[in-house]
Amino acid sequence: MKYALVTGGSRGIGRHICIETARLGYPVIINYNSNKEAAEQTKKEVENIGVKAEILQFDISDVGQVDNAMISWQEEHKDDYIAVLVNNAGIREDAMLIWMQNNQWDKVIDTNLNSFFYVTRRAIKDMLTKRFGRIINIVSLSGQKGLPGQTNYSAAKAGVIGATKALAQEVGKRGVTVNAVAPGFIATDMTDDLDEKTLKKLIPLNRFGKAEEVANLVAFLASEKASYITGEVISINGGLY
Ligand code: NAP
């Protein structure tokens, strides 16, 4: 059976990606870090549409935890594989560079960039052997144009964009596509502290985006319909550049 793994599937954009990939018919593996209750809520919502869901807790920034969780999952699912991988989990820890502490830099790079490597290398072997796979990396407008106060986050997301383009060229011949989705401001816990009233004036569509809107784009890229798209970064930002 082909599964979809969504990192950070417990809340926000990730929860909606779990629901939309389930609607494509994929049983979903919901990864989370600390919010078990939220992961269980996502599981319920996936099951409500009649699709199987499993919860797999691990900290994506910790290579040991990623290896343990993913190798154990593969050992317990000898006849299954992860055909759709959505590298969605991420954090921000904003500070002007002059004030930025080592731990703020390291945590954001580990969680948003290094995790891409830790998780993807564990999933890709089966995709190559089975000659089908979809990898979708959630990046950000911040990684495309840079945002002040986010040198760590912009660097991490720009790094994932580079990795997306390189990996797409490595694995295309085996039917594996690799794309990135770059949201602008989306209403989730991550943007709860931002002043939407002021910021929306900068956005041509005059509002923050919804997690569901990002999830619909991800589901399209995960579907058969997107079989000739690879190495792309697709923006979903209400026209904000
Ligand atoms: P969110 O509401 O804050 O949710 C973050 C998710 O990531 C949660 O499920 C969280 O799990 C998980 N997570 C965080 N650190 C983790 C770790 N070390 N290991 C495993 N899971 C971890 O964020 P969001 O707004 O949905 O963001 C999703 C993605 O979109 C991120 O990559 C973010 O950078 C990107 N993005 C968001 C926006 C925006 O405006 N919201 C814009 C551009 C890009 P727990 O529930 O266990 O904490």
Side-chain angles (χ1 to χ4, degrees):
M1 195 156 15
K2 290 178 181 166
Y3 275 75
L5 166 62
V6 182
T7 68
S10 48
R11 290 183 287 126
I13 294 170
R15 171 177 290 172
H16 287 276
I17 294 171
C18 289
I19 293 166
E20 292 308 321
T21 47
R23 288 209 170 103
L24 293 176
Y26 287 104
V28 184
I29 308 163
I30 303 158
N31 159 257
Y32 75 102
N33 186 28
S34 53
N35 202 330
K36 190 173 179 199
E37 218 172 286
E40 273 162 3
Q41 179 59 32
T42 303
K43 183 171 187 274
K44 237 184 248 165
E45 292 189 29
V46 168
E47 287 169 349
N48 279 348
I49 54 177
V51 174
K52 191 174 152 184
E54 294 176 18
I55 293 176
L56 194 61
Q57 188 281 330
F58 58 89
D59 177 349
I60 56 163
S61 69
D62 179 330
V63 66
Q65 288 194 32
V66 174
D67 284 353
N68 281 343
M70 292 197 59
I71 293 167
S72 310
W73 187 89
Q74 281 158 338
E75 277 167 4
E76 285 160 20
H77 291 78
K78 293 260 189 261
D79 298 327
D80 308 318
Y81 85 104
I82 295 164
V84 176
L85 167 62
V86 186
N87 287 305
N88 162 77
I91 55 161
R92 44 176 273 257
E93 187 78 51
D94 299 352
M96 302 303 270
L97 185 103
I98 192 167
W99 305 118
M100 194 174 286
Q101 304 297 308
N102 290 351
N103 69 316
Q104 291 178 301
W105 179 269
D106 292 342
K107 203 173 158 199
V108 168
I109 298 292
D110 285 345
T111 309
N112 295 292
L113 175 60
N114 292 340
S115 66
F116 158 82
F117 171 60
Y118 302 153
V119 177
T120 307
R121 72 168 162 182
R122 289 282 159 227
I124 200 145
K125 199 172 152 207
D126 282 343
M127 293 184 191
L128 295 175
T129 316
K130 313 276 184 204
R131 293 181 171 267
F132 177 85
R134 294 274 190 270
I135 299 171
I136 299 141
N137 301 316
I138 308 301
V139 293
S140 169
L141 176 61
S142 185
Q144 295 173 295
K145 71 165 205 165
L147 281 181
Q150 294 198 325
T151 51
N152 50 359
Y153 185 78
S154 298
K157 295 297 193 183
V160 175
I161 289 173
T164 299
K165 293 179 180 181
L167 184 61
Q169 293 173 64
E170 286 184 19
V171 299
K173 282 200 181 104
R174 294 282 186 126
V176 179
T177 66
V178 190
N179 290 291
V181 166
F185 291 111
I186 307 299
T188 66
D189 293 344
M190 185 179 269
T191 49
D192 235 12
D193 61 330
L194 303 182
D195 177 6
E196 182 171 351
K197 225 171 154 189
T198 309
L199 286 169
K200 75 177 189 183
K201 292 185 189 135
L202 305 169
I203 305 169
L205 287 180
N206 200 37
R207 64 173 176 86
F208 278 16
K210 296 181 194 149
E212 296 92 307
E213 291 172 314
V214 179
N216 282 327
L217 172 57
V218 172
F220 170 69
L221 289 171
S223 75
E224 289 290 343
K225 291 176 186 162
S227 49
Y228 203 53
I229 303 173
T230 197
E232 277 300 324
V233 183
I234 302 183
S235 293
I236 176 158
N237 58 25
L240 175 68
Y241 283 96

